[in-house]
Amino acid sequence: MSAYRAHQSRRDFLRTVAGSALTATALAAGASPALAGPAGATRTGSGDALPDGALRDALRAITDAGMPGVFAEVRDGRETWRGASGVAEVTTGRPMRPYFQHRIGSITKTFVSTVLLQLVAERRLWLDAPLRRYLPRLAPAGVTVRMLLNHTSGINDFDNVIFGSVENIEKYQHTTVRPLELVAMGMGQPPTNAPGERHSYSNTNYVLAGLLLERITGRPATVEITRRVLRPLGLHRTYFPGTDPRIHGPHAAGYVPWVDGTLRDFSVFNMSWAWMVGDIVSTTADLNRFFRGLLGGRLLRPAELAQMRRTVPIDPAAPDGARYGLGLLTAPMPDGPVWGHDGVVLGHHTVSLHSPDGRRQVSVALNATHYWVPGQPDPIGMALNAFLFTALGGTATPETTLRGRTPAGPLANGPLTAAPGTAVLHRPLPRAHVAG
């Protein structure tokens, strides 16, 4: 019998695939105060803008709903709240901590876009110039630089190829992939739409964006982003691991319910496939510092920041819902719009959302992905949305937590299929090749 039961709730599905030994120490930990209680929640600052008790309860609700572990940092001006709930490792019960490093997935794209917009300010790059001006051998006709950054190019997504099967996921865990190989995978598929016609999220766009950055600067993209962004902002715990599969610093495991009935830890992974798509390792504190610097004008001039905030609807059928700019998304909330990005790679999920001026901020990281059964209730996603609303100074209601990427909320269909943050599978593990 397959471990994938479409009729199960997410929590029951996790328990089924985890097996009895893991269930007792991990997924059932949401019901255990010893394991699921906030681990080392702290705050700094003397104000009362951050509701300590409400944040603790909302964070714990995520692990109560079935997530093994979660940690977050919330900021309002000079006030900071940090908290964690649940376990970093299901086999040992090691608690999650708020200072852990984490793979941030597609939030990497915001860093890439920031540096390209700095090049625009230096008049070394033009957003509406044909991409062929800079990458003549790679760019399809009609695609501009702007279309790469806001995902309207129509170029297809390489992850449909590279993560199209369980076997490939295991293969690429230990395989180095070059950027030109990723471009070939994406370009080898039919276009999703005509250039500029509509938003269609594709990781291939940001591989090309990285190659564009290197072509203009003459330096590796990782070096240029480190020089222009990480060092000036003092993001000392943020880096590009590249082909090094391990996270070098305190961190949690990264779990995916696997087809053999176990929770597979993917925290060790050769991330060369992610490159400028989703390679960065960071912390919630560094993410908040980055977005405050970006939205507060430390990294871009007003003209380039305004270009970054020129958006297109993520779903053309919902023009008043979430929208995507140049490596930056915005979502309407009851108390006003928020800006940021989300990211998913195997076993690591991160959301980073901020007020337009970067004063009110939340970054949250979770250590399990690809567990949601489509069409089934999503208690983890609902709890995550409720925490985000609380952290951003709002009040979540059943309607706002369920509606997803609409005027009421930032996430669509739960935390795993949220566009545009999924840097790998846009669905649970493929049912093909599953024994039973």
Side-chain angles (χ1 to χ4, degrees):
M1 179 176 174
S2 169
Y4 187 99
R5 296 182 179 180
H7 67 274
Q8 290 181 301
S9 71
R10 177 173 287 172
R11 189 182 179 96
D12 289 340
F13 173 59
L14 281 167
R15 287 179 170 177
T16 298
V17 298
S20 58
L22 292 179
T23 300
T25 58
L27 303 174
S32 169
L35 292 180
T42 61
R43 64 179 298 152
T44 59
S46 57
D48 58 359
L50 299 178
D52 184 75
L55 289 169
R56 285 172 177 262
D57 291 345
L59 195 68
R60 176 165 177 167
I62 298 171
T63 48
D64 285 347
M67 177 57 56
V70 58
F71 61 98
E73 181 186 270
V74 183
R75 297 179 68 185
D76 189 289
R78 295 185 178 181
E79 289 186 60
T80 302
W81 181 93
R82 297 184 183 94
S85 182
V87 295
E89 285 183 330
V90 300
T91 52
T92 66
R94 178 168 63 93
M96 189 69 89
R97 298 299 185 190
Y99 53 80
F100 278 174
Q101 291 180 311
H102 199 73
R103 300 193 191 277
I104 65 170
S106 286
I107 302 175
T108 301
K109 294 178 174 71
T110 313
F111 289 75
V112 176
S113 183
T114 297
V115 172
L116 287 172
L117 283 162
Q118 290 178 346
L119 297 175
V120 170
E122 296 166 11
R123 303 184 65 83
R124 302 167 68 185
L125 176 67
W126 280 261
L127 287 172
D128 294 312
L131 185 60
R132 281 188 170 179
R133 177 184 298 181
Y134 308 102
L135 299 173
R137 297 183 180 180
L138 295 177
V143 172
T144 66
V145 174
R146 187 188 301 274
M147 291 174 192
L148 286 186
L149 301 185
N150 67 10
H151 297 289
T152 61
S153 71
I155 298 170
N156 215 319
D157 201 334
F158 70 78
D159 69 354
N160 297 324
V161 176
I162 201 169
F163 292 120
S165 68
V166 169
E167 289 83 0
N168 267 8
I169 294 171
E170 294 178 317
K171 170 186 173 181
Y172 285 106
Q173 185 176 7
H174 306 290
T175 301
T176 295
V177 193
R178 304 300 178 191
L180 290 178
E181 296 178 73
L182 299 172
V183 171
M185 291 178 191
M187 301 279 282
Q189 302 172 79
T192 58
N193 51 265
E197 179 184 11
R198 63 180 175 86
H199 176 91
S200 181
Y201 192 86
S202 172
N203 290 306
T204 313
N205 287 321
Y206 274 76
V207 179
L208 288 164
L211 293 171
L212 173 63
L213 194 163
E214 294 189 336
R215 176 66 180 270
I216 294 173
T217 64
R219 285 185 285 267
T222 55
V223 171
E224 199 68 8
I225 294 171
T226 300
R227 183 177 75 87
R228 289 173 174 264
V229 177
L230 306 190
R231 288 177 183 166
L233 292 182
L235 307 184
H236 301 303
R237 302 187 65 207
T238 300
Y239 70 99
F240 292 87
T243 59
D244 184 344
R246 298 186 179 275
I247 299 173
H248 294 281
H251 63 279
Y255 293 110
V256 173
W258 204 241
V259 295
D260 61 1
T262 66
L263 277 183
R264 179 76 67 87
D265 177 10
F266 281 105
S267 59
V268 176
F269 209 104
N270 182 332
M271 296 297 290
S272 59
W273 69 268
W275 198 49
M276 296 297 105
V277 168
D279 185 26
I280 289 179
V281 169
S282 189
T283 65
T284 54
D286 271 9
L287 281 178
N288 283 343
R289 191 174 298 116
F290 165 67
F291 277 102
R292 181 166 290 188
L294 174 62
L295 299 173
R298 288 191 59 188
L299 296 173
L300 295 176
R301 302 183 314 179
E304 283 68 47
L305 186 56
Q307 290 289 342
M308 192 176 228
R309 285 172 153 161
R310 281 184 57 182
T311 59
V312 296
I314 289 175
D315 180 1
D320 296 327
R323 299 177 68 88
Y324 202 90
L326 305 185
L328 189 68
L329 70 84
T330 183
M333 299 276 276
D335 297 317
V338 292
W339 293 85
H341 214 290
D342 55 340
V344 175
V345 292
L346 286 165
H348 296 81
H349 179 207
T350 313
V351 181
S352 193
L353 298 176
H354 314 270
S355 62
D357 60 359
R359 177 180 177 86
R360 187 79 178 216
Q361 304 182 272
V362 56
S363 292
V364 58
L366 304 93
N367 69 339
T369 64
H370 300 98
Y371 48 78
W372 179 53
V373 179
Q376 296 299 305
D378 179 17
I380 295 175
M382 292 174 63
L384 174 60
N385 272 353
F387 174 77
L388 292 171
F389 278 105
T390 302
L392 291 166
T395 302
T397 66
E399 180 186 22
T400 59
T401 57
L402 282 168
R403 289 178 65 188
R405 234 183 241 284
T406 69
L411 300 179
N413 302 322
L416 299 182
T417 57
T422 41
V424 288
L425 298 172
H426 294 265
R427 64 196 77 83
L429 290 171
R431 298 187 68 175
H433 311 290
V434 178

